[in-house]
């Protein structure tokens, strides 16, 4: 009876370790690189919007000075 409980506990611990390692591998290979790519794309869009806004403000400022 005691051997079966120890076996059950060891099997649960080993199974938990296998699941943990599998999830870490999936994150490292698939999820994290995709999230980094999405983050970079978002940063590019924000930087482009800020650049466009600054160019518009400069154009407005130089246009109002020449009048």
């Amino acid at each position: 009876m005691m051997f079966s409980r120890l076996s059950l506990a060891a099997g649960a611990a080993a199974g938990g370790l296998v699941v943990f390692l599998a999830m870490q591998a999936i994150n490292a290979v698939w999820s994290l690189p995709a999230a980094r790519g999405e983050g970079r794309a978002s940063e590019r869009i924000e930087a482009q919007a800020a650049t466009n806004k600054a160019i518009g403000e400069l154009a407005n400022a130089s246009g109002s000075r020449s009048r």
Side-chain angles (χ1 to χ4, degrees):
M1 183 73 169
M2 187 55 122
F3 179 73
S4 65
R5 286 186 181 172
L6 287 175
S7 174
L8 180 65
L17 181 63
V18 168
V19 169
F20 174 76
L21 293 175
M23 291 305 296
Q24 292 299 316
I26 289 169
N27 280 334
V29 172
W30 185 28
S31 298
L32 292 178
R36 284 188 193 116
E38 288 176 14
R40 286 187 186 119
S42 176
E43 286 179 358
R44 270 187 243 114
I45 291 169
E46 288 176 9
Q48 185 64 45
T51 301
N52 291 343
K53 180 180 177 187
I55 289 171
E57 289 174 358
L58 287 172
N60 288 340
S62 66
S64 64
R65 250 193 267 161
S66 65
R67 291 182 183 184

